[in-house]
Amino acid sequence: MPWCGPCQRYFAPTALRADGTCPACGEEVEAAAAGRGCEPEQRAPWHFWAVVVAAVAYVAWRIVQLVAGAVGV
């Protein structure tokens, strides 16, 4: 995403002028370093995965109950 330093904001590439300058102040914008390792990779916290495991276990148990009820056990 193009970044305008004086305006302190990002712009969509289509929002720039034809010559690649900022539409608000007219300064030249610089390309942000997306995907170049500037920001550390964000990982989901452990408690998110704990909730995912609990939800999967609950749904699996409900499927077992459904099958047992259909069979008549």
Side-chain angles (χ1 to χ4, degrees):
M1 301 231 25
W3 170 256
C4 180
C7 294
Q8 296 292 308
R9 57 187 281 205
Y10 289 104
F11 288 98
T14 57
L16 299 177
R17 292 183 183 159
D19 60 352
T21 58
C22 175
C25 67
E27 294 289 322
E28 188 169 337
V29 296
E30 55 189 66
R36 294 188 200 152
C38 292
E39 295 180 14
E41 184 178 325
Q42 296 278 332
R43 295 187 64 199
W46 68 269
H47 45 84
F48 169 78
W49 294 112
V51 170
V52 169
V53 168
V56 168
Y58 173 75
V59 170
W61 177 248
R62 295 298 290 182
I63 290 173
V64 167
Q65 286 182 330
L66 176 71
V67 170
V71 172
V73 176

